[in-house]
Amino acid sequence: MHLSIFNSDYCSWKLSLVAGIILALAGLTALEITWRMQGHIPCVIDDKDLWAYHRNRLTKNSKHIIVLSGASRILLNISLPEMKNLLPAYTIVQLGIDGTHPPAVLQDLAKDSGFKGIVLFSVIASGLEKRNWDHQQEFIDYYHSDFSWSDSLNRFMSTMVQAHLVISDPHVMIKPVLLRYLKIKKLPSPRYLITYSDRRKEADYSKLNINKHKQKRLERLAQYYEKDNTPLPPNEWIHEVVDVYSWVRQIENRGGKVIFLRLPTKKAHWEMDEKFYPRTLYWDRFVQKTGVKAIHFKDFPVLDNFDCPDTSHLDFKDTKPFTRALCNILCQHDVFKK
Amino acid sequence: MLFNSYTFILFFIAVFTTYQLPINWSKKKYILLFSSYIFYSAWNPPFVFLLGISTAVDWWTAKKIFQHRHYLSTKRHFLLISLLINLGFLGFFKYSNFLLHNFIYVVDKIGITFTPAIPDIILPVGISFYTFQTLSYTIDIYRGKGKPWHSLLDYALYVSFFPQLVAGPIVRAFSFLPQCLAPKRVSGDQIAWGISLIILGLFEKIVVADGLLAPVADTVYAVESYPGLVDAWCGTLAFTGQIFCDFAGYSTCAIGAAKCLGFDLPENFRYPYASLGFRDFWRRWHISLSFWLRDYLYVSLGGNRRGMARTCFNVMITMLLGGLWHGASWTFVIWGGVHAFLILAEHLIRRCIPTDYQSGLFLTSAAGILTFAGVCISWTFFRAHSIDQAAAMLQAMFGFRLPVNESILITTDRVITISVISIMIFIHWLLRNRSLKEVSENAPWWIRSIGIGIMLVAMATFSGEDRAFIYFQF
């Protein structure tokens, strides 16, 4: 077989390679500075690998673990650094997954005989229905069957890069930037939503046209309730969702705790939630029937008083005080000790 | 552990650094062997035992074959043991579910309902590659083309050498093993050349295959309804480019990594999209596999030594099994069959042309275009999820069906695809009878630097979904 193509006389390859690397570093540095001068900051890419990496952090048989499970509200509203400050004895692991209902994670933790920690389970009434149980299953299956030690190591290193370099953000990569520029003659604006290495997200709504954003969100919510997820009648609903309680019992029997959280929604969003899933017929009935520990934002003015600029999530400036307020309430309810 | 991952960079730096320590050659080979098993364990640790068993079985059977080389019947028995065990593993892990599904289908057609539990069998990464590699050793010894190697360490390293373990090139024992005899002295420039090859390979994979072409191919081949004629061709052309850059990129990385360690791996691609005819294509595409199939299957069946009818049969069997090697699906078998048909058709046409005939530019160009078109059309079977989808795509490509989605792709996607493929074909034709070495060494060092710099910047700043190398699934 030919070896000719790859047998080089190697003349000056060292020089070419070193010069090429220097050129590349210079180019990348220039790009990094350019993007930062335009207000961009690093953003970690949240994917199955990152979720699995954090899932892997759950230490077996430890009661000093707090798992945050839910969707975008638990990702955006809770400040993990603030929570760690308030609860230094605990390891806090963010397992929320944006845009999905979380029962699958609760079930996974219930099946994990080594898990004895605390689950802060942010969920809405419709999320407890059987048809929504498998939303997060893909992430769980990936963790259990495909996530290897080398994926974990790779994710650790790529997270470090993404947490420090703007140029690693897909938002500012060459192809989407060029395509966007060709279409609308504009470079991408800094992200309003940033993900950090601990998977928390922070939203800076001052970077958005908030009214337009709010309008789109409410339209999607109407579509969700009216077409995609029309509510079950309350009696049918309660029969279905009671099964979730068996997972709670499994965790509690091992010494763990599960606290159901209903995080704030505001104005038109809350009105729609109440129209389709009235609290008294759904949430309260579930809590009453099962006896689960539950915190509903409407029962605590200190939580209800926070504004949600997009009707559903806090601005990043409010996450620390909100986290403090929530932790105080949870401490008062003996969920954990500060 | 993908080549385009931080883990591999860390791994390679660790292996390379340890390899440079002032220790004896034997210890260096142990380092490479241990590292190769670590590399393989990154996918699924228990499967390193499978690799070990395969190594041990063929080491032992090869010795036995040589011991009984004068006794045809006995040496055949030992060859059979090697074939049964290696192909048995391959068959079990790769084809069990395929065979089961086909069995269920067939019995269902004759009125028997059979619904067994479908076992969840994980396919060990690279099994198709290292199985063929170890078999080439025992078969070569059976044929008297070499003696059993004296060092199990060398042989184990040959089977598991990490640059080519999971996706080739499929290396012949007697081109690799002699390289293990003497310690390697690798100069700074050789290492730089090896790293440059790795950069080139990753550029092909990350930027061209994943960043530019895969999104287009995925969009067209994801739809359930039929794309229009233009989009069907764009999607197929995109996949044509993607599979080349993905696979050739991997091979280039493998060759570069081996080069840094002082080993030479065989070339696996030689500008296949500048082929003149399908026989030429298979001398340029996945060269190590096509030569393996020729030497160990086609020749074993009799090659072209038993008349025209038998030659046709041998070509067909070789290509059908070659297709099946790629995956447990009828689409791959059909892909192999299409190539068999094209090779045989070319063979018949060539028999009608006088041997002293000098084809002009027009006929050469026509041959090149027809070859490329034939290869593209065959890729529809390779890429499609099912025979139905492949058939639908072909109908769309030839305008036989009305499209449901007239414009699946945006204009930019089409422009990108046509541009990238055109540049690729141009480069292939430019280099088809030359080497990358020639071209790159004729360029001033600063041109090479700019090229390397651009590739590195592109790799760092190109968006693309993190995709496994296509051939990992084989």
Side-chain angles (χ1 to χ4, degrees):
Chain A
M1 273 181 231
H2 280 271
L3 296 174
S4 62
I5 287 184
F6 297 104
N7 281 338
S8 166
D9 285 342
Y10 313 118
C11 49
S12 301
W13 277 104
K14 247 193 320 201
L15 179 57
S16 302
L17 180 66
V18 170
I21 290 171
I22 291 171
L23 270 174
L25 285 173
L28 291 171
T29 305
L31 264 175
E32 179 73 18
I33 293 170
T34 307
W35 287 121
R36 283 189 185 253
M37 281 172 62
Q38 303 216 357
H40 292 270
I41 57 175
C43 178
V44 173
I45 300 164
D46 195 11
D47 58 12
K48 279 189 279 200
D49 274 329
L50 187 64
W51 188 91
Y53 177 83
H54 284 279
R55 174 64 176 88
N56 217 23
R57 289 174 54 215
L58 297 185
T59 325
K60 294 233 176 276
N61 300 316
S62 170
K63 288 191 176 180
H64 292 96
I65 293 190
I66 300 172
V67 169
L68 307 180
S69 172
S72 54
R73 278 174 219 145
I74 199 115
L75 286 164
L76 269 76
N77 293 1
I78 308 291
S79 165
L80 261 67
E82 185 64 16
M83 206 168 181
K84 279 178 196 153
N85 265 344
L86 295 168
L87 305 164
Y90 290 87
T91 300
I92 301 163
V93 178
Q94 174 60 270
L95 294 185
I97 301 172
D98 199 359
T100 56
H101 294 298
V105 167
L106 186 65
Q107 188 183 28
D108 180 52
L109 294 173
K111 283 183 195 168
D112 183 352
S113 57
F115 179 74
K116 297 176 181 175
I118 300 165
V119 184
L120 300 184
F121 189 63
S122 166
V123 70
I124 57 175
S126 64
L128 292 171
E129 293 165 6
K130 264 202 177 95
R131 57 183 160 172
N132 294 322
W133 281 6
D134 63 351
H135 275 210
Q136 300 183 346
Q137 195 60 44
E138 199 186 329
F139 281 65
I140 296 162
D141 290 343
Y142 176 75
Y143 167 71
H144 286 294
S145 57
D146 291 325
F147 189 67
S148 66
W149 65 265
S150 96
D151 293 321
S152 182
L153 182 58
N154 190 60
R155 186 64 245 203
F156 171 75
M157 289 191 286
S158 59
T159 301
M160 279 204 309
V161 170
Q162 289 163 15
H164 292 93
L165 292 177
V166 174
I167 53 172
S168 63
D169 185 349
H171 190 57
V172 298
M173 290 202 171
I174 292 177
K175 190 178 163 194
V177 167
L178 276 176
L179 289 176
R180 184 191 158 94
Y181 193 81
L182 285 170
K183 202 172 169 186
I184 60 172
K185 301 283 182 282
K186 274 188 184 172
L187 293 174
S189 309
R191 285 178 181 271
Y192 86 95
L193 187 67
I194 299 289
T195 306
Y196 294 89
S197 53
D198 56 10
R199 295 192 70 245
R200 80 184 188 278
K201 294 181 193 296
E202 288 186 353
D204 181 354
Y205 289 105
S206 66
K207 291 179 178 170
L208 270 188
N209 178 339
I210 192 62
N211 289 329
K212 198 171 159 187
H213 182 78
K214 216 177 349 184
Q215 186 56 35
K216 277 194 184 150
R217 177 167 280 285
L218 290 172
E219 282 166 14
R220 279 204 305 271
L221 186 66
Q223 161 91 9
Y224 173 76
Y225 279 135
E226 287 164 5
K227 292 200 175 104
D228 302 335
N229 201 98
T230 47
L232 291 174
N235 289 339
E236 210 178 304
W237 181 89
I238 194 69
H239 278 298
E240 236 187 49
V241 306
V242 153
D243 289 346
V244 171
Y245 183 59
S246 66
W247 307 334
V248 175
R249 289 303 310 270
Q250 278 181 268
I251 294 172
E252 287 178 346
N253 286 344
R254 294 197 291 262
K257 293 180 189 174
V258 180
I259 294 86
F260 282 64
L261 298 179
R262 179 51 166 100
L263 294 177
T265 51
K266 294 288 167 182
K267 300 176 188 156
H269 199 303
W270 170 247
E271 283 160 21
M272 241 189 281
D273 289 338
E274 272 297 279
K275 179 184 169 189
F276 289 96
Y277 283 90
R279 182 187 165 174
T280 49
L281 296 178
Y282 291 88
W283 181 271
D284 289 350
R285 276 186 79 188
F286 173 75
V287 173
Q288 196 181 33
K289 191 168 175 82
T290 58
V292 294
K293 287 194 180 70
I295 305 285
H296 194 292
F297 75 97
K298 280 292 185 191
D299 296 334
F300 299 90
V302 69
L303 298 180
D304 195 18
N305 285 342
F306 284 93
D307 183 34
C308 297
D310 69 344
T311 71
S312 182
H313 307 95
L314 302 185
D315 187 83
F316 78 100
K317 292 195 254 343
D318 287 332
T319 56
K320 281 187 183 171
F322 182 85
T323 304
R324 276 197 296 273
L326 180 64
C327 286
N328 282 336
I329 292 166
L330 291 169
C331 284
Q332 283 160 19
H333 284 75
D334 289 328
V335 172
F336 35 66
K337 312 247 178 277
K338 270 195 193 175
Chain B
M1 196 190 301
L2 303 176
F3 280 171
N4 56 323
S5 69
Y6 294 104
T7 319
F8 180 74
I9 294 172
L10 197 68
F11 166 83
F12 190 69
I13 290 171
V15 172
F16 181 77
T17 310
T18 323
Y19 187 68
Q20 302 304 315
L21 292 172
I23 50 180
N24 70 40
W25 178 227
S26 193
K27 286 201 176 93
K28 289 193 185 209
K29 286 190 285 188
Y30 273 111
I31 287 169
L32 289 182
L33 180 66
F34 178 71
S35 308
S36 297
Y37 272 74
I38 296 285
F39 179 82
Y40 195 63
S41 76
W43 277 277
N44 206 324
F47 284 137
V48 298
F49 293 107
L50 201 63
L51 184 62
I53 291 168
S54 201
T55 304
V57 163
D58 286 323
W59 173 256
W60 177 77
T61 51
K63 275 191 175 305
K64 289 294 178 189
I65 287 168
F66 187 75
Q67 242 177 334
H68 297 93
R69 60 192 180 279
H70 301 302
Y71 306 100
L72 183 61
S73 171
T74 313
K75 78 172 184 174
R76 260 192 195 155
H77 285 139
F78 285 109
L79 178 65
L80 201 59
I81 292 171
S82 170
L83 288 169
L84 280 174
I85 292 176
N86 283 292
L87 296 177
F89 279 148
L90 184 63
F92 172 74
F93 284 104
K94 196 164 175 177
Y95 300 107
S96 295
N97 283 344
F98 174 67
L99 290 171
L100 186 59
H101 281 119
N102 280 283
F103 179 77
I104 293 169
Y105 177 82
V106 165
V107 299
D108 184 60
K109 286 291 171 200
I110 58 173
I112 302 169
T113 307
F114 177 53
T115 50
I118 307 291
D120 185 19
I121 300 173
I122 301 170
L123 177 65
V125 170
I127 190 170
S128 305
F129 290 90
Y130 70 71
T131 297
F132 272 28
Q133 198 152 298
T134 55
L135 279 177
S136 76
Y137 177 68
T138 45
I139 297 172
D140 278 348
I141 287 171
Y142 175 84
R143 288 177 175 173
K145 288 190 174 170
K147 293 179 184 177
W149 200 252
H150 60 277
S151 165
L152 176 57
L153 168 62
D154 291 358
Y155 176 72
L157 181 59
Y158 156 67
V159 177
S160 64
F161 190 45
F162 74 85
Q164 47 80 53
L165 173 60
V166 294
I170 301 171
V171 184
R172 301 296 175 92
F174 295 106
S175 69
F176 184 90
L177 289 169
Q179 298 184 64
C180 295
L181 287 171
K184 304 288 153 206
R185 268 194 221 102
V186 194
S187 68
D189 267 343
Q190 285 173 298
I191 293 167
W193 170 236
I195 293 172
S196 302
L197 287 176
I198 294 173
I199 291 171
L200 173 63
L202 290 178
F203 173 79
E204 287 181 271
K205 160 69 176 163
I206 294 169
V207 177
V208 185
D210 290 354
L212 293 173
L213 298 174
V216 177
D218 289 351
T219 302
V220 172
Y221 277 84
V223 293
E224 297 303 332
S225 49
Y226 308 114
L229 184 148
V230 172
D231 286 349
W233 272 105
C234 276
T236 302
L237 282 171
F239 182 70
T240 300
Q242 179 197 353
I243 193 165
F244 171 74
C245 288
D246 190 288
F247 196 14
Y250 185 93
S251 292
T252 306
C253 287
I255 290 164
K259 189 70 68 182
C260 292
L261 300 168
F263 287 87
D264 286 319
L265 296 183
E267 183 181 35
N268 217 12
F269 292 86
R270 203 178 316 127
Y271 313 110
Y273 294 149
S275 301
L276 289 170
F278 299 95
R279 290 191 312 182
D280 190 31
F281 177 77
W282 282 101
R283 286 192 286 263
R284 295 170 177 276
W285 177 273
H286 201 175
I287 298 168
S288 62
L289 174 69
S290 70
F291 282 17
W292 195 101
L293 291 171
R294 179 198 65 189
D295 293 343
Y296 299 110
L297 185 55
Y298 179 69
V299 165
S300 301
L301 290 171
N304 59 3
R305 290 172 281 129
R306 296 189 191 176
M308 188 62 189
R310 182 56 190 251
T311 302
C312 292
F313 174 79
N314 292 344
V315 167
M316 187 56 75
I317 291 293
T318 302
M319 295 310 294
L320 287 174
L321 289 176
L324 189 63
W325 175 91
H326 283 81
S329 166
W330 289 113
T331 52
F332 292 114
V333 178
I334 293 171
W335 170 78
V338 167
H339 272 274
F341 172 77
L342 292 169
I343 288 169
L344 291 171
E346 180 191 331
H347 184 65
L348 286 169
I349 291 168
R350 282 182 187 273
R351 279 161 69 100
C352 301
I353 299 171
T355 46
D356 58 353
Y357 179 77
Q358 297 285 336
S359 62
L361 179 63
F362 175 76
L363 277 179
T364 305
S365 305
I369 291 167
L370 284 171
T371 307
F372 183 72
V375 167
C376 286
I377 289 165
S378 71
W379 283 134
T380 54
F381 291 97
F382 203 93
R383 179 59 179 82
H385 303 299
S386 64
I387 296 172
D388 289 340
Q389 192 191 30
M393 196 61 66
L394 286 171
Q395 286 172 334
M397 284 163 74
F398 290 97
F400 287 135
R401 282 195 90 122
L402 282 172
V404 175
N405 292 323
E406 190 63 60
S407 287
I408 295 166
L409 298 173
I410 58 175
T411 307
T412 321
D413 287 337
R414 294 175 188 150
V415 169
I416 287 173
T417 303
I418 303 294
S419 305
V420 170
I421 298 301
S422 301
I423 292 168
M424 191 181 300
I425 293 172
F426 174 74
I427 291 172
H428 281 218
W429 278 98
L430 191 69
L431 298 179
R432 82 181 293 273
N433 293 322
R434 300 171 70 190
S435 71
L436 185 64
K437 164 196 169 186
E438 268 178 63
V439 172
S440 57
E441 286 186 352
N442 283 336
W445 68 268
W446 54 271
I447 295 273
R448 294 200 295 262
S449 302
I450 291 170
I452 290 170
I454 289 172
M455 285 194 287
L456 285 170
V457 170
M459 277 155 49
T461 59
F462 226 84
S463 76
E465 207 182 295
D466 194 17
R467 298 161 195 267
F469 287 92
I470 293 174
Y471 267 70
F472 275 13
Q473 63 189 300
F474 308 142

